[in-house]
Amino acid sequence: MGAAFSVSPSPLVKFPFSHPDSFQKILILLDTSTILNCRVVCTDWRDWFTASKTIWSSVSSRMVARMLRRKMRTELEQVWDIRLDFLLEMVDECWTEEQEMTMAIRIERATRQPIWCEFDDTLKVISQLHQAFYRGLMASPCVGPVCIFLRSKVAHPSVLKVMGETLARHLNCVIIDERDKEAGVVRQCLLRAMISCQQAPRWVFKDMDLGWLGEEEVEDVQQYQPEPEDCNDNQISDEPEELTPSKFSFSYLLTSMYNLVSGLFSPLTMWKMLTTSQSDFVPVTTLESDDEEEDEKDGLYSTAPPPAHAIFPTVLELLDCDSLWLKKMLIKKAGIDKILVVPKFEEVTKHIEDVGAQFTIAGLDMSGTVCQLDCGALATEEGAVV
């Protein structure tokens, strides 16, 4: 009776170490959320995940195979092919276990998310530029429009409207290799868009050799203007040309004409941001002690960073973006890390003193119109914020 009562641990506690091959084969049959939840079963399982260097590369390969099997309706095939090629290009850039994990999660989400078709005119331009690349007239294929690679993490209609109008200027961006700045086909496509009075895409130039997982500096967004004397409005030349910028004043006239047309024919396009279900996102893993949390602060399974604001989320925190490079571009060009989303704009008056001057508040007023407030322009007078 006085003997100490002890419970022998379950054989499953040591299962990852006693049968590592079998354990890994089971894991790669699971979805990414379940795999991450397996890590918190017990300390032994967590230690196995920490020591493993191949699990996520195996999972990533299976997710790619599943993604390639996805079928689309005919009208959506081009949009899915653009996103598919983009994700496959990033898979080829992965060389660390952390990158493999990120891509496995990203590909699984993309396979589950609905696809929509938007910016039809831009998609036609993309198709023309891809054909030019296959004929050797461009150094690299273009990528875009950017809206294909963005999703909202929430489905609230007010949040979607605020985010859509905040990012509207950048959703129609097309990313071009900086080596193709002077390519005739690029300038011809823009000239035809000007003449047809259609809203031309915004060109973003990038060094494609640096890939999409790197952290190189984002180059300025440009509305590139073609030189009219080197462009043929009716056809794309089959021979590559060596083009140099023109000094004629007629190009400045075209620039003015383009700015006028863009101002007349650029209504705000409603962004059909689709949501990713909450179950698709990586759960925050909590460790058993502060010491262990400190040890894994910069590790593969580190916890998410704290929010920028304690009450309101930023556009960046609500945005699900396929590429780190695209996210950095939107931070630089749109300041999405400093824009707080407040669905009911009038509610911000209750917390205005808790919002720093570096933030801009965006929300809907009583009439449903998106409003923005630059907190840096506020001043305190006699204890009141005005």
Side-chain angles (χ1 to χ4, degrees), residues 39-198:
R39 182 177 174 270
V40 297
V41 168
C42 62
T43 56
D44 291 273
W45 285 36
R46 187 196 62 203
D47 294 340
W48 184 90
F49 273 92
T50 303
S52 174
K53 304 298 181 184
T54 59
I55 176 62
W56 288 108
S57 58
S58 302
V59 174
S60 179
S61 299
R62 187 177 64 86
M63 294 300 174
V64 169
R66 178 186 297 178
M67 180 175 62
L68 293 173
R69 292 194 299 267
R70 185 179 186 182
K71 301 297 182 181
M72 284 289 156
R73 300 198 308 270
T74 303
E75 62 271 19
L76 299 177
E77 285 182 353
Q78 182 186 5
V79 177
W80 174 241
D81 288 343
I82 291 173
R83 193 177 188 193
L84 179 63
D85 292 341
F86 185 73
L87 292 172
L88 290 176
E89 187 172 347
M90 288 196 292
V91 169
D92 292 338
E93 298 175 19
C94 294
W95 61 278
T96 67
E97 188 73 356
E98 181 177 4
Q99 291 172 340
E100 295 283 3
M101 182 183 73
T102 301
M103 285 309 305
I105 296 171
R106 171 63 52 205
I107 292 172
E108 184 182 50
R109 293 178 189 171
T111 305
R112 295 177 176 179
Q113 289 167 343
I115 301 296
W116 81 97
C117 186
E118 199 169 16
F119 298 113
D120 291 337
D121 295 325
T122 300
L123 291 174
K124 293 178 182 178
V125 173
I126 295 290
S127 179
Q128 294 172 1
L129 293 178
H130 282 175
Q131 294 175 13
F133 167 72
Y134 295 138
R135 294 203 303 269
L137 303 181
M138 296 178 62
S140 299
C142 59
V143 176
V146 167
C147 63
I148 294 177
F149 316 111
L150 303 178
R151 294 292 187 276
S152 172
K153 295 180 181 179
V154 297
H156 195 288
S158 298
V159 173
L160 296 181
K161 186 173 183 179
V162 172
M163 293 181 65
E165 295 203 18
T166 301
L167 298 171
R169 294 181 62 249
H170 307 279
L171 297 178
N172 197 23
C173 286
V174 175
I175 304 169
I176 306 288
D177 194 326
E178 60 184 15
R179 293 170 294 181
D180 293 322
K181 281 184 177 181
E182 301 300 329
V185 289
V186 175
R187 300 190 290 176
Q188 290 165 16
C189 287
L190 181 55
L191 181 62
R192 280 196 296 273
M194 292 167 54
I195 295 176
S196 63
C197 299
Q198 298 292 335

Side-chain angles (χ1 to χ4, degrees), residues 218-256:
V218 179
E219 191 169 340
D220 289 341
V221 177
Q222 303 182 27
Q223 285 280 11
Y224 186 74
Q225 305 301 330
E227 309 301 337
E229 62 275 13
D230 291 327
C231 297
N232 188 329
D233 184 43
N234 297 321
Q235 62 182 3
I236 297 177
S237 173
D238 292 333
E239 298 296 330
E241 303 177 20
E242 289 295 328
L243 301 174
T244 56
S246 172
K247 302 296 184 181
F248 295 111
S249 59
F250 187 59
S251 62
Y252 295 99
L253 178 61
L254 276 181
T255 302
S256 301

Side-chain angles (χ1 to χ4, degrees), residues 119 168 199 261-270:
F119 298 113
Q199 183 182 9
V261 171
S262 297
L264 293 175
F265 298 94
S266 58
L268 178 62
T269 303
M270 296 300 295

